[in-house]
Amino acid sequence: MTGHGAMTSRLTSQFFFFSFFFFCTYGHAHTGTHTRAAHTATYVRARTYGPALVGTISAFFNFQEGAEEERASVYRSLVINTSKEMMCFSDFPIPRNFPNFMHHSLILQYFRLFVERFNLMKHILFKRKVTAVTKREDFTISGQWNVTVVDENGKEESTVFDAVMVCIGHHVNQHLPLDSFPGIDKFQGPYMHSREYKEPWEYKDKRVLVIGIGNSGGDIAVEVSRHAAQVYLSTRRGAWVINRISDNGYPLDIVVVRRYLNVLPIPEALINFLAERKINSQFNHTNYGLQASHRFKGQHPTVNDELSNRIINGSVIVKPNVAEFSETGAIFDDGTEVDNLDFIIFATGYSFYFPFLEVDHTLTVRGNVVSLYKNVFLPSLPQPTLAIIGLVQPWGAVMPISEMQGRWTTRIFKGATAYLHILSLKKWYVDSQRHTLQVDYITYMDEIGELIGVKPRFLPLFLRDPALALSVFFEPCTPYQYRLQGPGQWEGAAQAIRTQWDRVLAPTRTRVTTLPCQDSGIPSKLFSILSLIVALALVLWVAL
């Protein structure tokens, strides 16, 4: 099993499936951890190979001073953009005292707590690099794979597995399209990809150009601008920049990722209008040079709490796309020029590929586009025994999706869930290499959850526990909702939902006050009205 961060199985016994069912996971970050947990929970025997030659879990969040090959890389100050209640394992809430938006070191600590809680470390082999995953000769019948690994001493080992899960993620291989930037070969200063960025100190009193306005580009531009003489931020199509924090100081994803908002028949044009109006009320994107050439839902927004402040004080100057480089500077599409540049940082995203997989499985990747059934399985394989985990970019947190994929995949491996080739997700993002993996969080989670049998069933839940049902529908769609019923049901799920606001507010309520505090992102009167409407509708539906 190849894992990047999806430990969703608790290996507690062995499972016989035709032959002895033995599967392999391989990867670097959080998807491998989520998947591993899923396997142990469904009683199969698994082996997880740690990332490349790294000797720890979650190489993605394990900061290193330098960017290593074949391994995801983070900068020292990285803070995650999804809040803790929305990104946690569905049966293991993040500790109450942890902040809502965690530094990478705390995420790594949480993963270690999870591994310890479910005794997963004994199933992970570190410092192994998977060099080849090939079908056995009888693959059409057995579905088995030969997995070849090399340890840190160069010793090669090959093992037969009944199934393989690849969880290496999509933030390992830098996308550096130098051929799109004429003159870069004659630029005399240093340049690098954002993957290599670690700290801002080396840019003190320098003139720096950051190309790309995704999350990394925005973060790096802001951080470097506190030390550099001047930072220029180049963007081809602009971006909608949102904050982590919403109204009343609540995490944005806690406020907007809710079932009732997902099912309301709101036209996309109206969503775009309302979202853009709200975002521009914080700072007008046209006035700040950030106005996007696409509508709000046309591209993943950039999450940054400080960019507007750095622009308004002149530390960051926004520029259009680079038309050409000179020996000492850059000429932009609008004809303006910046000279005497000291550094260029390309925040141009990532490419993904699977060099260890044999070419005849038709797992071809072109422009970050790959054909996978529900973003997981290769439809062309006669046996569904190869799964790609975490190859998504959701409008929400990726960790719960990786876990859900792990739960579903494990059940398919052991024959407990049917494997059907059907899916057509609506594409509403711009045609860009950055957006080939986009999915809507609730829609995708519900699709996979329904296949497993864990999608919340609102009416039975309402008849059994009306308050809990209303929380599921109106409150944040946290991962615990997918443990209320079905395979892998967790008896603590309902209580985790009831207490989720306590864990949201605990890290910030560090000074005792006598003033009352509202505990929900929805105004209480609106919540009461909506709850009453739903309750009456259900009563009428049952009566009729």
Side-chain angles (χ1 to χ4, degrees), residues 434-492:
R434 181 186 172 203
H435 299 96
T436 59
L437 307 176
Q438 299 290 351
V439 297
D440 177 77
Y441 177 82
I442 295 179
T443 301
Y444 185 82
M445 288 284 282
D446 279 356
E447 285 183 352
I448 305 299
E450 191 165 18
L451 293 173
I452 303 172
V454 298
K455 176 185 175 181
R457 298 174 60 204
F458 186 76
L459 181 58
L461 182 61
F462 181 82
L463 296 176
R464 184 174 73 249
D465 190 335
L468 179 60
L470 293 174
S471 291
V472 167
F473 190 71
F474 289 111
E475 293 291 318
C477 185
T478 45
Y480 321 120
Q481 294 190 9
Y482 299 93
R483 291 284 182 179
L484 289 169
Q485 63 182 49
Q489 180 178 354
W490 175 45
E491 62 181 10

Short mmCIF file of all heavy atoms in Angstrom, two decimals, residues 434-492:
data_model
loop_
_atom_site.label_atom_id
_atom_site.label_comp_id
_atom_site.label_asym_id
_atom_site.label_seq_id
_atom_site.Cartn_x
_atom_site.Cartn_y
_atom_site.Cartn_z
N ARG A 434 -3.47 23.76 -12.92
CA ARG A 434 -3.66 23.84 -11.48
C ARG A 434 -5.01 23.27 -11.05
O ARG A 434 -5.20 22.92 -9.90
CB ARG A 434 -3.54 25.31 -11.04
CG ARG A 434 -3.69 25.55 -9.56
CD ARG A 434 -3.69 27.03 -9.24
NE ARG A 434 -4.03 27.27 -7.86
CZ ARG A 434 -4.54 28.41 -7.40
NH1 ARG A 434 -4.75 29.41 -8.23
NH2 ARG A 434 -4.82 28.57 -6.12
N HIS A 435 -5.97 23.17 -11.98
CA HIS A 435 -7.34 22.86 -11.57
C HIS A 435 -7.90 21.58 -12.18
O HIS A 435 -9.10 21.41 -12.30
CB HIS A 435 -8.25 24.05 -11.92
CG HIS A 435 -7.84 25.30 -11.21
ND1 HIS A 435 -7.04 26.24 -11.81
CD2 HIS A 435 -8.08 25.73 -9.95
CE1 HIS A 435 -6.81 27.22 -10.94
NE2 HIS A 435 -7.43 26.94 -9.81
N THR A 436 -7.02 20.65 -12.54
CA THR A 436 -7.48 19.41 -13.13
C THR A 436 -8.00 18.43 -12.09
O THR A 436 -8.64 17.44 -12.44
CB THR A 436 -6.33 18.73 -13.90
OG1 THR A 436 -5.24 18.49 -13.00
CG2 THR A 436 -5.85 19.61 -15.04
N LEU A 437 -7.73 18.67 -10.82
CA LEU A 437 -8.10 17.72 -9.77
C LEU A 437 -9.22 18.24 -8.87
O LEU A 437 -9.48 17.65 -7.82
CB LEU A 437 -6.86 17.42 -8.90
CG LEU A 437 -5.61 16.96 -9.65
CD1 LEU A 437 -4.45 16.80 -8.67
CD2 LEU A 437 -5.87 15.65 -10.38
N GLN A 438 -9.89 19.31 -9.27
CA GLN A 438 -10.86 19.95 -8.39
C GLN A 438 -12.13 19.11 -8.22
O GLN A 438 -12.66 18.55 -9.18
CB GLN A 438 -11.26 21.31 -8.96
CG GLN A 438 -10.10 22.29 -9.10
CD GLN A 438 -9.59 22.79 -7.76
OE1 GLN A 438 -10.18 22.54 -6.74
NE2 GLN A 438 -8.49 23.48 -7.77
N VAL A 439 -12.58 19.02 -6.98
CA VAL A 439 -13.87 18.41 -6.66
C VAL A 439 -14.54 19.25 -5.58
O VAL A 439 -13.88 19.97 -4.84
CB VAL A 439 -13.73 16.95 -6.16
CG1 VAL A 439 -13.12 16.05 -7.23
CG2 VAL A 439 -12.90 16.88 -4.87
N ASP A 440 -15.85 19.17 -5.51
CA ASP A 440 -16.59 19.82 -4.43
C ASP A 440 -16.61 18.90 -3.22
O ASP A 440 -16.93 17.71 -3.34
CB ASP A 440 -18.02 20.14 -4.87
CG ASP A 440 -18.83 20.76 -3.75
OD1 ASP A 440 -18.64 21.95 -3.48
OD2 ASP A 440 -19.63 20.02 -3.12
N TYR A 441 -16.28 19.43 -2.06
CA TYR A 441 -16.07 18.61 -0.87
C TYR A 441 -17.30 17.77 -0.50
O TYR A 441 -17.23 16.53 -0.45
CB TYR A 441 -15.67 19.50 0.31
CG TYR A 441 -15.50 18.76 1.61
CD1 TYR A 441 -14.32 18.09 1.90
CD2 TYR A 441 -16.52 18.74 2.57
CE1 TYR A 441 -14.16 17.41 3.10
CE2 TYR A 441 -16.37 18.06 3.76
CZ TYR A 441 -15.18 17.39 4.03
OH TYR A 441 -15.04 16.71 5.20
N ILE A 442 -18.42 18.40 -0.23
CA ILE A 442 -19.60 17.66 0.23
C ILE A 442 -20.11 16.72 -0.85
O ILE A 442 -20.45 15.55 -0.59
CB ILE A 442 -20.71 18.61 0.70
CG1 ILE A 442 -20.26 19.40 1.94
CG2 ILE A 442 -21.99 17.85 1.01
CD1 ILE A 442 -21.29 20.38 2.46
N THR A 443 -20.19 17.20 -2.09
CA THR A 443 -20.69 16.37 -3.18
C THR A 443 -19.85 15.10 -3.33
O THR A 443 -20.38 13.99 -3.43
CB THR A 443 -20.68 17.16 -4.50
OG1 THR A 443 -21.49 18.33 -4.35
CG2 THR A 443 -21.21 16.32 -5.64
N TYR A 444 -18.54 15.27 -3.32
CA TYR A 444 -17.66 14.12 -3.50
C TYR A 444 -17.71 13.18 -2.29
O TYR A 444 -17.80 11.95 -2.45
CB TYR A 444 -16.23 14.59 -3.74
CG TYR A 444 -15.27 13.48 -4.07
CD1 TYR A 444 -15.17 12.98 -5.36
CD2 TYR A 444 -14.46 12.92 -3.09
CE1 TYR A 444 -14.30 11.95 -5.66
CE2 TYR A 444 -13.58 11.89 -3.38
CZ TYR A 444 -13.50 11.40 -4.67
OH TYR A 444 -12.63 10.38 -4.95
N MET A 445 -17.67 13.73 -1.10
CA MET A 445 -17.75 12.90 0.11
C MET A 445 -19.05 12.11 0.14
O MET A 445 -19.07 10.93 0.51
CB MET A 445 -17.63 13.77 1.35
CG MET A 445 -16.25 14.34 1.60
SD MET A 445 -15.07 13.15 2.27
CE MET A 445 -15.57 13.09 4.01
N ASP A 446 -20.16 12.74 -0.26
CA ASP A 446 -21.44 12.04 -0.27
C ASP A 446 -21.47 10.94 -1.32
O ASP A 446 -22.06 9.87 -1.11
CB ASP A 446 -22.58 13.03 -0.51
CG ASP A 446 -23.00 13.77 0.75
OD1 ASP A 446 -22.45 13.46 1.83
OD2 ASP A 446 -23.85 14.67 0.66
N GLU A 447 -20.86 11.19 -2.48
CA GLU A 447 -20.83 10.17 -3.52
C GLU A 447 -20.11 8.92 -3.04
O GLU A 447 -20.61 7.80 -3.19
CB GLU A 447 -20.15 10.72 -4.77
CG GLU A 447 -21.00 11.68 -5.57
CD GLU A 447 -20.30 12.14 -6.83
OE1 GLU A 447 -19.09 11.84 -6.99
OE2 GLU A 447 -20.94 12.80 -7.66
N ILE A 448 -18.92 9.10 -2.48
CA ILE A 448 -18.17 7.94 -1.99
C ILE A 448 -18.84 7.35 -0.76
O ILE A 448 -18.94 6.14 -0.60
CB ILE A 448 -16.71 8.34 -1.66
CG1 ILE A 448 -16.05 9.00 -2.88
CG2 ILE A 448 -15.92 7.12 -1.23
CD1 ILE A 448 -15.96 8.12 -4.10
N GLY A 449 -19.36 8.23 0.12
CA GLY A 449 -20.03 7.75 1.33
C GLY A 449 -21.25 6.91 1.00
O GLY A 449 -21.54 5.91 1.69
N GLU A 450 -21.97 7.27 -0.04
CA GLU A 450 -23.14 6.49 -0.43
C GLU A 450 -22.75 5.11 -0.94
O GLU A 450 -23.44 4.12 -0.69
CB GLU A 450 -23.92 7.24 -1.50
CG GLU A 450 -25.29 6.66 -1.78
CD GLU A 450 -26.18 7.61 -2.56
OE1 GLU A 450 -25.64 8.57 -3.16
OE2 GLU A 450 -27.40 7.42 -2.55
N LEU A 451 -21.64 5.02 -1.65
CA LEU A 451 -21.16 3.72 -2.12
C LEU A 451 -20.77 2.80 -0.95
O LEU A 451 -20.95 1.58 -1.02
CB LEU A 451 -19.95 3.92 -3.04
CG LEU A 451 -20.23 4.61 -4.39
CD1 LEU A 451 -18.92 4.89 -5.11
CD2 LEU A 451 -21.15 3.77 -5.25
N ILE A 452 -20.24 3.40 0.11
CA ILE A 452 -19.85 2.61 1.28
C ILE A 452 -21.05 2.30 2.16
O ILE A 452 -21.12 1.24 2.80
CB ILE A 452 -18.79 3.38 2.11
CG1 ILE A 452 -17.58 3.74 1.27
CG2 ILE A 452 -18.36 2.56 3.33
CD1 ILE A 452 -16.59 4.66 1.97
N GLY A 453 -22.02 3.22 2.18
CA GLY A 453 -23.16 3.09 3.08
C GLY A 453 -23.02 3.94 4.33
O GLY A 453 -23.62 3.63 5.36
N VAL A 454 -22.23 5.03 4.25
CA VAL A 454 -22.00 5.86 5.42
C VAL A 454 -22.49 7.29 5.22
O VAL A 454 -22.32 8.13 6.11
CB VAL A 454 -20.50 5.88 5.81
CG1 VAL A 454 -20.03 4.48 6.17
CG2 VAL A 454 -19.65 6.46 4.68
N LYS A 455 -23.08 7.59 4.08
CA LYS A 455 -23.64 8.92 3.88
C LYS A 455 -24.79 9.13 4.87
O LYS A 455 -25.65 8.27 5.01
CB LYS A 455 -24.16 9.08 2.45
CG LYS A 455 -24.84 10.41 2.18
CD LYS A 455 -25.43 10.46 0.78
CE LYS A 455 -26.22 11.75 0.57
NZ LYS A 455 -26.84 11.80 -0.79
N PRO A 456 -24.79 10.25 5.59
CA PRO A 456 -25.84 10.48 6.59
C PRO A 456 -27.23 10.40 5.97
O PRO A 456 -27.49 11.01 4.92
CB PRO A 456 -25.55 11.89 7.11
CG PRO A 456 -24.09 12.10 6.84
CD PRO A 456 -23.81 11.36 5.57
N ARG A 457 -28.12 9.67 6.60
CA ARG A 457 -29.52 9.56 6.16
C ARG A 457 -30.35 10.47 7.06
O ARG A 457 -30.58 10.16 8.23
CB ARG A 457 -29.99 8.11 6.23
CG ARG A 457 -29.19 7.19 5.31
CD ARG A 457 -29.58 5.75 5.51
NE ARG A 457 -31.00 5.53 5.22
CZ ARG A 457 -31.72 4.54 5.72
NH1 ARG A 457 -31.16 3.69 6.59
NH2 ARG A 457 -32.99 4.39 5.39
N PHE A 458 -30.76 11.59 6.51
CA PHE A 458 -31.31 12.65 7.33
C PHE A 458 -32.63 12.27 8.00
O PHE A 458 -32.82 12.51 9.20
CB PHE A 458 -31.50 13.91 6.47
CG PHE A 458 -31.95 15.11 7.27
CD1 PHE A 458 -31.05 15.80 8.06
CD2 PHE A 458 -33.27 15.52 7.26
CE1 PHE A 458 -31.45 16.89 8.81
CE2 PHE A 458 -33.69 16.61 7.99
CZ PHE A 458 -32.78 17.30 8.77
N LEU A 459 -33.57 11.69 7.27
CA LEU A 459 -34.89 11.40 7.84
C LEU A 459 -34.81 10.40 9.00
O LEU A 459 -35.34 10.68 10.09
CB LEU A 459 -35.84 10.90 6.76
CG LEU A 459 -37.27 10.58 7.23
CD1 LEU A 459 -37.90 11.82 7.88
CD2 LEU A 459 -38.12 10.09 6.06
N PRO A 460 -34.18 9.22 8.84
CA PRO A 460 -34.07 8.31 9.98
C PRO A 460 -33.35 8.96 11.16
O PRO A 460 -33.72 8.73 12.33
CB PRO A 460 -33.28 7.13 9.42
CG PRO A 460 -33.52 7.17 7.95
CD PRO A 460 -33.61 8.62 7.61
N LEU A 461 -32.33 9.76 10.86
CA LEU A 461 -31.59 10.42 11.94
C LEU A 461 -32.48 11.43 12.64
O LEU A 461 -32.45 11.56 13.88
CB LEU A 461 -30.35 11.11 11.36
CG LEU A 461 -29.42 11.81 12.37
CD1 LEU A 461 -28.88 10.81 13.38
CD2 LEU A 461 -28.26 12.50 11.64
N PHE A 462 -33.31 12.15 11.88
CA PHE A 462 -34.21 13.14 12.48
C PHE A 462 -35.24 12.47 13.38
O PHE A 462 -35.57 12.98 14.47
CB PHE A 462 -34.91 13.95 11.38
CG PHE A 462 -35.83 15.01 11.91
CD1 PHE A 462 -35.33 16.24 12.32
CD2 PHE A 462 -37.19 14.78 12.03
CE1 PHE A 462 -36.17 17.22 12.83
CE2 PHE A 462 -38.04 15.74 12.53
CZ PHE A 462 -37.53 16.98 12.93
N LEU A 463 -35.77 11.34 12.94
CA LEU A 463 -36.77 10.64 13.75
C LEU A 463 -36.16 10.07 15.03
O LEU A 463 -36.84 9.94 16.05
CB LEU A 463 -37.40 9.52 12.93
CG LEU A 463 -38.20 9.98 11.69
CD1 LEU A 463 -38.70 8.77 10.91
CD2 LEU A 463 -39.35 10.89 12.09
N ARG A 464 -34.87 9.76 14.97
CA ARG A 464 -34.21 9.19 16.14
C ARG A 464 -33.65 10.26 17.07
O ARG A 464 -33.72 10.16 18.29
CB ARG A 464 -33.07 8.27 15.66
CG ARG A 464 -32.35 7.53 16.79
CD ARG A 464 -31.34 6.53 16.27
NE ARG A 464 -30.15 7.18 15.73
CZ ARG A 464 -29.82 7.19 14.45
NH1 ARG A 464 -30.63 6.62 13.56
NH2 ARG A 464 -28.72 7.77 14.04
N ASP A 465 -33.08 11.33 16.47
CA ASP A 465 -32.44 12.38 17.26
C ASP A 465 -32.57 13.70 16.49
O ASP A 465 -31.67 14.08 15.74
CB ASP A 465 -30.97 12.03 17.49
CG ASP A 465 -30.28 12.96 18.49
OD1 ASP A 465 -30.74 14.11 18.65
OD2 ASP A 465 -29.28 12.53 19.10
N PRO A 466 -33.70 14.41 16.63
CA PRO A 466 -33.94 15.62 15.84
C PRO A 466 -32.84 16.68 15.98
O PRO A 466 -32.44 17.28 14.98
CB PRO A 466 -35.27 16.15 16.41
CG PRO A 466 -35.93 14.94 16.99
CD PRO A 466 -34.83 14.09 17.52
N ALA A 467 -32.33 16.90 17.18
CA ALA A 467 -31.30 17.93 17.38
C ALA A 467 -30.03 17.59 16.62
O ALA A 467 -29.40 18.45 15.98
CB ALA A 467 -31.00 18.10 18.87
N LEU A 468 -29.64 16.32 16.66
CA LEU A 468 -28.44 15.90 15.95
C LEU A 468 -28.64 16.02 14.44
O LEU A 468 -27.74 16.47 13.72
CB LEU A 468 -28.09 14.46 16.32
CG LEU A 468 -26.86 13.86 15.63
CD1 LEU A 468 -25.61 14.66 15.95
CD2 LEU A 468 -26.69 12.39 16.02
N ALA A 469 -29.82 15.63 13.96
CA ALA A 469 -30.10 15.71 12.53
C ALA A 469 -30.02 17.16 12.04
O ALA A 469 -29.46 17.43 10.97
CB ALA A 469 -31.47 15.13 12.23
N LEU A 470 -30.55 18.08 12.81
CA LEU A 470 -30.51 19.49 12.42
C LEU A 470 -29.08 20.01 12.44
O LEU A 470 -28.70 20.84 11.60
CB LEU A 470 -31.40 20.32 13.34
CG LEU A 470 -32.91 20.04 13.21
CD1 LEU A 470 -33.68 20.80 14.27
CD2 LEU A 470 -33.40 20.41 11.82
N SER A 471 -28.28 19.53 13.37
CA SER A 471 -26.87 19.92 13.40
C SER A 471 -26.15 19.41 12.16
O SER A 471 -25.33 20.12 11.56
CB SER A 471 -26.18 19.38 14.66
OG SER A 471 -26.64 20.03 15.81
N VAL A 472 -26.46 18.18 11.76
CA VAL A 472 -25.84 17.60 10.57
C VAL A 472 -26.20 18.42 9.34
O VAL A 472 -25.36 18.65 8.46
CB VAL A 472 -26.28 16.13 10.40
CG1 VAL A 472 -25.92 15.61 9.01
CG2 VAL A 472 -25.63 15.26 11.47
N PHE A 473 -27.44 18.89 9.26
CA PHE A 473 -27.91 19.59 8.07
C PHE A 473 -27.47 21.06 8.04
O PHE A 473 -27.08 21.57 7.00
CB PHE A 473 -29.42 19.50 7.98
CG PHE A 473 -29.98 19.98 6.67
CD1 PHE A 473 -29.80 19.25 5.51
CD2 PHE A 473 -30.67 21.17 6.59
CE1 PHE A 473 -30.30 19.70 4.29
CE2 PHE A 473 -31.19 21.64 5.39
CZ PHE A 473 -30.99 20.89 4.23
N PHE A 474 -27.53 21.72 9.19
CA PHE A 474 -27.29 23.16 9.21
C PHE A 474 -25.89 23.56 9.69
O PHE A 474 -25.41 24.63 9.34
CB PHE A 474 -28.32 23.86 10.10
CG PHE A 474 -29.70 23.89 9.51
CD1 PHE A 474 -30.72 23.14 10.07
CD2 PHE A 474 -29.98 24.65 8.40
CE1 PHE A 474 -31.99 23.17 9.53
CE2 PHE A 474 -31.24 24.69 7.85
CZ PHE A 474 -32.26 23.94 8.42
N GLU A 475 -25.27 22.71 10.49
CA GLU A 475 -23.97 23.05 11.04
C GLU A 475 -22.85 22.57 10.11
O GLU A 475 -23.12 21.99 9.05
CB GLU A 475 -23.84 22.41 12.43
CG GLU A 475 -24.78 23.01 13.48
CD GLU A 475 -24.42 24.44 13.84
OE1 GLU A 475 -23.22 24.72 13.99
OE2 GLU A 475 -25.33 25.27 13.97
N PRO A 476 -21.59 22.83 10.43
CA PRO A 476 -20.49 22.44 9.55
C PRO A 476 -20.51 20.95 9.20
O PRO A 476 -20.81 20.11 10.06
CB PRO A 476 -19.25 22.79 10.37
CG PRO A 476 -19.70 23.86 11.30
CD PRO A 476 -21.12 23.54 11.63
N CYS A 477 -20.21 20.64 7.97
CA CYS A 477 -20.17 19.25 7.53
C CYS A 477 -18.81 18.65 7.88
O CYS A 477 -17.93 18.47 7.04
CB CYS A 477 -20.42 19.16 6.02
SG CYS A 477 -20.53 17.46 5.42
N THR A 478 -18.65 18.36 9.16
CA THR A 478 -17.40 17.81 9.66
C THR A 478 -17.31 16.31 9.35
O THR A 478 -18.32 15.65 9.13
CB THR A 478 -17.29 18.04 11.17
OG1 THR A 478 -18.53 17.71 11.79
CG2 THR A 478 -16.99 19.50 11.47
N PRO A 479 -16.10 15.75 9.33
CA PRO A 479 -15.93 14.34 8.95
C PRO A 479 -16.69 13.36 9.83
O PRO A 479 -16.99 12.24 9.39
CB PRO A 479 -14.42 14.13 9.08
CG PRO A 479 -13.82 15.48 8.87
CD PRO A 479 -14.79 16.43 9.49
N TYR A 480 -17.00 13.75 11.08
CA TYR A 480 -17.70 12.83 11.99
C TYR A 480 -19.05 12.38 11.43
O TYR A 480 -19.56 11.32 11.80
CB TYR A 480 -17.93 13.50 13.35
CG TYR A 480 -16.79 14.35 13.84
CD1 TYR A 480 -16.97 15.72 14.11
CD2 TYR A 480 -15.52 13.80 14.04
CE1 TYR A 480 -15.93 16.51 14.55
CE2 TYR A 480 -14.48 14.60 14.49
CZ TYR A 480 -14.69 15.95 14.74
OH TYR A 480 -13.66 16.73 15.17
N GLN A 481 -19.64 13.18 10.55
CA GLN A 481 -20.95 12.83 9.99
C GLN A 481 -20.91 11.49 9.26
O GLN A 481 -21.93 10.81 9.17
CB GLN A 481 -21.43 13.93 9.05
CG GLN A 481 -21.72 15.26 9.72
CD GLN A 481 -22.42 16.23 8.80
OE1 GLN A 481 -22.85 15.87 7.70
NE2 GLN A 481 -22.55 17.48 9.25
N TYR A 482 -19.74 11.12 8.77
CA TYR A 482 -19.62 9.89 8.00
C TYR A 482 -19.23 8.70 8.87
O TYR A 482 -18.82 7.66 8.36
CB TYR A 482 -18.60 10.09 6.87
CG TYR A 482 -19.03 11.17 5.91
CD1 TYR A 482 -18.62 12.49 6.09
CD2 TYR A 482 -19.90 10.89 4.85
CE1 TYR A 482 -19.03 13.50 5.22
CE2 TYR A 482 -20.32 11.90 3.98
CZ TYR A 482 -19.88 13.20 4.18
OH TYR A 482 -20.31 14.20 3.32
N ARG A 483 -19.39 8.87 10.19
CA ARG A 483 -19.21 7.76 11.14
C ARG A 483 -20.47 7.51 11.96
O ARG A 483 -20.45 6.75 12.92
CB ARG A 483 -18.05 8.07 12.08
CG ARG A 483 -16.67 8.06 11.44
CD ARG A 483 -16.16 6.67 11.17
NE ARG A 483 -14.83 6.68 10.59
CZ ARG A 483 -14.13 5.60 10.27
NH1 ARG A 483 -14.65 4.40 10.46
NH2 ARG A 483 -12.92 5.70 9.74
N LEU A 484 -21.57 8.17 11.58
CA LEU A 484 -22.81 8.00 12.34
C LEU A 484 -23.50 6.68 12.06
O LEU A 484 -24.28 6.19 12.88
CB LEU A 484 -23.78 9.15 12.01
CG LEU A 484 -23.40 10.53 12.56
CD1 LEU A 484 -24.29 11.61 11.94
CD2 LEU A 484 -23.52 10.55 14.09
N GLN A 485 -23.23 6.07 10.92
CA GLN A 485 -23.93 4.84 10.54
C GLN A 485 -23.07 4.07 9.56
O GLN A 485 -22.07 4.57 9.05
CB GLN A 485 -25.25 5.17 9.86
CG GLN A 485 -25.08 5.94 8.55
CD GLN A 485 -26.39 6.32 7.90
OE1 GLN A 485 -27.27 6.85 8.54
NE2 GLN A 485 -26.52 6.01 6.61
N GLY A 486 -23.48 2.83 9.31
CA GLY A 486 -22.84 2.02 8.29
C GLY A 486 -21.51 1.42 8.71
O GLY A 486 -21.13 1.47 9.89
N PRO A 487 -20.79 0.82 7.76
CA PRO A 487 -19.50 0.20 8.06
C PRO A 487 -18.54 1.21 8.69
O PRO A 487 -18.41 2.33 8.22
CB PRO A 487 -19.00 -0.24 6.67
CG PRO A 487 -20.23 -0.37 5.84
CD PRO A 487 -21.18 0.67 6.34
N GLY A 488 -17.88 0.78 9.75
CA GLY A 488 -16.95 1.67 10.43
C GLY A 488 -17.63 2.68 11.33
O GLY A 488 -17.01 3.67 11.72
N GLN A 489 -18.89 2.43 11.68
CA GLN A 489 -19.61 3.36 12.56
C GLN A 489 -18.85 3.54 13.87
O GLN A 489 -18.33 2.60 14.45
CB GLN A 489 -21.01 2.81 12.84
CG GLN A 489 -21.86 3.70 13.74
CD GLN A 489 -23.26 3.14 13.94
OE1 GLN A 489 -23.61 2.14 13.32
NE2 GLN A 489 -24.04 3.76 14.79
N TRP A 490 -18.77 4.79 14.32
CA TRP A 490 -18.04 5.14 15.55
C TRP A 490 -19.04 5.64 16.58
O TRP A 490 -19.78 6.59 16.31
CB TRP A 490 -16.98 6.19 15.24
CG TRP A 490 -16.25 6.71 16.45
CD1 TRP A 490 -15.74 5.99 17.47
CD2 TRP A 490 -15.93 8.09 16.72
NE1 TRP A 490 -15.12 6.82 18.38
CE2 TRP A 490 -15.22 8.11 17.94
CE3 TRP A 490 -16.16 9.29 16.06
CZ2 TRP A 490 -14.76 9.29 18.51
CZ3 TRP A 490 -15.70 10.45 16.62
CH2 TRP A 490 -15.01 10.45 17.83
N GLU A 491 -19.04 5.04 17.73
CA GLU A 491 -20.02 5.40 18.76
C GLU A 491 -19.81 6.82 19.30
O GLU A 491 -20.72 7.41 19.87
CB GLU A 491 -19.98 4.39 19.91
CG GLU A 491 -18.65 4.34 20.65
CD GLU A 491 -18.62 3.31 21.76
OE1 GLU A 491 -19.56 2.50 21.85
OE2 GLU A 491 -17.64 3.33 22.55
N GLY A 492 -18.64 7.37 19.08
CA GLY A 492 -18.38 8.72 19.56
C GLY A 492 -18.69 9.82 18.55
O GLY A 492 -18.49 11.01 18.83
#
